[in-house]
Amino acid sequence: MIELTIFTPTYNRAYILPQLFDSLLAQTNKNFEWLIVDDGSSDNTKNLIEDFKSKADFKIIYICQENQGKHVAINTALSHIKTAYFATVDSDDFLQKNGIEIVEKKIPSITQENKIIGIASPINILNNTARNKKDIDRDIAVTTNELKFKYGYEGELTLIFKTDLAKKFEYPIFKGEKFMLESVVFDRMDSDYKFLYINASIVNAEYREDGLTAQGKKLLLNNPQGSALAYKQKMNNSKIPLNHRKIFAKNYWDYESLNNKSFVSKLNNIQSLQLKLHMIGYFIKRILDKK
């Protein structure tokens, strides 16, 4: 019985998808199926997937939706995944030859752990050492925020989820917005669950100029409601160090201000009195500096 789905959201990536497909063909363990959610591609993705199906020795499921953004593609995947576990592997990434084998060996260690929502594996980024930090040399149960703020981990992760638990955490959708930081969901998961971080990479990646990460600030500005929500959650998370929450509060204020001009309303969304006073002091200083 197949326990694992490899889920790939994609948008106009027909030129790079064969690399991921070839890595799936090369797996030492074929106990998986591949789900592709095409977010309204205008290239030849659909025909390419049909070609993949004719060559694959594993099941391929293809779903095409209207272009709505990666976070909506994830919601779509959640409604279709039938296996007990799934891993999100982006269209410009590819698996190490023994990637599925590593996952299958680790799954039994979390099966009976009710407070573990999945496995976190560091992505091996081939062409950018600054994004390839693996500072943790052992397996540990942590939240995503603990990884960053307690252990100082700065790399990217492949997350292998328990499907039934992940289905509790769909992404909110704002009309007209097609991007949302994945931390919106991860921060909510952190309230109740941890991940088993493993000191083993299952996915390789290369930093690309057309990737979501490279588009950074522009994406946040073009999708201000989702951006404000992400930073609102982080600034109000008391488990995150205060110095970081001060930065998140300023980010929240900037993105929220694009749709909400009320000073009082924005201030009321800051739960910490200390943060409220910090932001009031910040704006008083800005006013004085202009004089």
Side-chain angles (χ1 to χ4, degrees), residues 275-289:
L275 267 187
K276 287 180 191 284
L277 295 174
H278 169 74
M279 290 304 295
I280 291 172
Y282 169 74
F283 284 108
I284 291 174
K285 184 178 185 301
R286 281 181 56 179
I287 292 170
L288 293 175
D289 287 345

Side-chain angles (χ1 to χ4, degrees), residues 174 177 179-181 184 220 223-231 255:
F174 294 104
E177 296 198 2
F179 174 78
M180 183 173 292
L181 289 167
V184 167
L220 296 174
N223 300 275
Q225 293 180 88
S227 302
L229 174 60
Y231 288 113
Y255 294 116

Side-chain angles (χ1 to χ4, degrees), residues 220-278:
L220 296 174
L221 287 170
N222 289 340
N223 300 275
Q225 293 180 88
S227 302
L229 174 60
Y231 288 113
K232 177 183 175 182
Q233 290 183 181
K234 285 198 173 295
M235 76 176 180
N236 288 330
N237 186 341
S238 60
K239 294 180 180 179
I240 294 176
L242 182 61
N243 60 318
H244 291 282
R245 292 168 62 204
K246 288 179 178 179
I247 297 171
F248 296 145
K250 291 178 183 178
N251 288 340
Y252 157 73
W253 202 282
D254 288 344
Y255 294 116
E256 181 70 12
S257 295
L258 294 175
N259 289 303
N260 177 9
K261 303 303 180 183
S262 170
F263 184 93
V264 173
S265 171
K266 292 189 286 259
L267 196 64
N268 285 339
N269 282 329
I270 302 175
Q271 295 174 1
S272 163
L273 177 59
Q274 193 171 4
L275 267 187
K276 287 180 191 284
L277 295 174
H278 169 74

Side-chain angles (χ1 to χ4, degrees), residues 140-159:
I140 52 171
V142 287
T143 66
T144 55
N145 280 317
E146 284 174 338
L147 267 178
K148 180 175 178 62
F149 299 111
K150 182 177 179 179
Y151 293 94
Y153 181 82
E154 296 179 4
E156 297 182 41
L157 297 165
T158 301
L159 299 176

